[in-house]
Amino acid sequence: MWHILGAGSLGTLWATRLARAGLPVALILRDSARLNSYQQAGGLTLIEQGQPQHYPIPAQTPDHRQPIQRLLLACKAYDAANAVSQLAPRLAPGAEILLLQNGLGSQDEVARAAPQARCIFASSTEGAFRQADFQVVFAGHGHTWLGDPQNLQPPSWLADLQHAGIVHDWSLDILSRLWRKLALNCAINPLTVLHDCRNGELQAHPAQVACLCSELSELLHTCGRSAAAENLHDDVQRVIQATAANYSSMHQDVRQGRRTEIAYLLGYACDAAQRHQLVLPYLQALHSQLLARLAARGLPSH
Ligand code: NAD
Ligand code: KPL
């Protein structure tokens, strides 16, 4: 049984694909009010290439008694540890938790909240967004890397993902993948918020992007993640071009007045620099400017 916490964008994308492959799935929703709304909707809808498909997947609240063997955690990084603490009494011996959160920091918080479970980290380039409550658009096909820094053996259920058409690889160095994605997000997302622009418009600010990439590379080397620093600037420029017409996820969050994952992206990078007594003036200034912008919009700094 796949227990999936969070019926947002990625939770829906995973739940619907696993369910249509005939695998047993149960959604865990926040509370009984959310469960009632879900029951009124009658299930999840996934929209692919404009075609909606409905999936009446069973759902429950966190206080349900069913033991959990395999949990897909599909909430934002800032909700992850609390969500897992709530479910801790239900985790069966040998339980596994698959963490879909972007950035770094939440993985350690979850591991502390559920020390008895095996935590498998994921880094995904798939894209999905909520069109309405319980209706999600599969916006960008991509790839998901999974890995466990403490146990390099892949879990047996990777075959389920294959069966469900979830394109993935088992990574022997998932932390480098997460650091690389964090660096990409730090080089692009905050600047799109500060310039209030699409990713492609950052091509008008090449010096800022180059400075950031240089400091981020220095940070990656210092943190022992040299592999994640390789050709960072080229890759950032490639992503800016490839996603030129898009607004970054952080830009979308800020525009829609939603809390951002800043503490797990730029905040995490600045904390890591401070821990290593590394002075990265450009990154730190960017962090301060971003915090000021969020505060001006009444959004939290963490
Ligand atoms: P989302 O906001 O669409 O969905 C999160 C869901 O979790 C929400 O429905 C929320 O109500 C639910 N939730 C939070 N706490 C809960 C709790 N205690 N119990 C039950 N439900 C709870 O978020 P998302 O876009 O799916 O993103 C999830 C993570 O995946 C983020 O870290 C994000 O950065 C990452 N990510 C998202 C995408 C994407 O395209 N959406 C792509 C790559 C990575
Ligand atoms: O992942 C992204 C995001 O918007 O969060 C990209 C497109 C890579 C920009 O950083």
Side-chain angles (χ1 to χ4, degrees):
M1 167 69 80
W2 284 83
H3 281 93
I4 299 190
L5 180 130
S9 306
L10 282 198
T12 298
L13 190 55
W14 280 67
T16 51
R17 289 180 296 177
L18 290 166
R20 80 179 166 205
L23 295 159
V25 176
L27 287 175
I28 301 177
L29 303 175
R30 207 181 269 277
D31 51 32
S32 49
R34 184 98 178 119
L35 184 59
N36 281 342
S37 322
Y38 178 74
Q39 278 159 349
Q40 272 164 28
L44 295 176
T45 300
L46 182 68
I47 302 151
E48 287 177 276
Q49 282 144 9
Q51 296 299 316
Q53 286 280 342
H54 190 71
Y55 301 87
I57 295 169
Q60 53 187 243
T61 50
D63 59 3
H64 195 282
R65 296 228 170 147
Q66 191 177 46
I68 297 174
Q69 185 61 49
R70 186 180 310 143
L71 175 66
L72 178 75
L73 197 61
C75 56
K76 295 285 179 138
Y78 47 74
D79 281 328
N82 275 346
V84 165
S85 304
Q86 236 182 333
L87 295 177
R90 291 180 56 187
L91 294 174
E96 293 165 306
I97 308 178
L98 175 48
L99 306 177
L100 289 184
Q101 288 63 45
N102 203 10
L104 281 162
S106 67
Q107 297 84 359
D108 288 343
E109 292 172 1
V110 168
R112 279 196 294 276
Q116 74 277 35
R118 180 184 187 191
C119 288
I120 291 166
F121 305 169
S123 177
S124 183
T125 60
E126 290 193 319
F129 64 88
R130 266 191 284 181
Q131 177 169 281
D133 238 8
F134 308 116
Q135 285 186 23
V136 165
V137 178
F138 192 176
H141 288 262
H143 199 97
T144 302
W145 284 270
L146 305 156
D148 173 358
Q150 303 202 7
N151 176 355
L152 300 182
Q153 279 303 314
S156 57
W157 45 259
L158 289 188
D160 282 6
L161 306 192
Q162 187 79 21
H163 201 48
I166 299 172
V167 184
H168 67 280
D169 269 309
W170 181 249
S171 168
L172 298 181
D173 191 6
I174 190 68
L175 284 175
S176 283
R177 292 241 166 236
L178 285 162
W179 268 106
R180 174 66 160 214
K181 177 92 191 312
L182 177 140
L184 276 165
N185 286 160
C186 287
I188 299 174
N189 299 12
L191 284 180
T192 63
V193 173
L194 294 173
H195 292 296
D196 189 13
C197 70
R198 294 176 197 266
N199 293 353
E201 291 170 72
L202 294 185
Q203 289 173 103
H205 305 281
Q208 286 185 318
V209 173
C211 266
L212 269 177
C213 288
S214 155
E215 288 195 357
L216 284 162
S217 297
E218 201 183 333
L219 176 64
L220 291 170
H221 285 294
T222 307
C223 292
R225 298 282 158 204
S226 296
E230 236 171 77
N231 300 323
L232 178 65
H233 188 209
D234 289 347
D235 206 18
V236 166
Q237 287 174 306
R238 183 193 59 76
V239 171
I240 286 174
Q241 269 172 29
T243 61
N246 299 356
Y247 285 106
S248 75
S249 53
M250 190 179 270
H251 185 282
Q252 292 177 42
D253 284 343
V254 172
R255 190 172 47 185
Q256 289 167 33
R258 292 191 305 234
R259 183 174 173 184
T260 68
E261 294 183 299
I262 180 177
Y264 300 89
L265 296 167
L266 193 50
Y268 186 89
C270 288
D271 287 350
Q274 203 172 21
R275 267 199 312 278
H276 287 94
Q277 297 176 327
L278 192 62
V279 180
L280 300 175
Y282 200 78
L283 205 66
Q284 272 136 10
L286 185 75
H287 190 218
S288 306
Q289 287 163 20
L290 186 60
L291 288 176
R293 183 64 62 94
L294 296 181
R297 294 260 190 161
L299 293 172
S301 57
H302 54 279

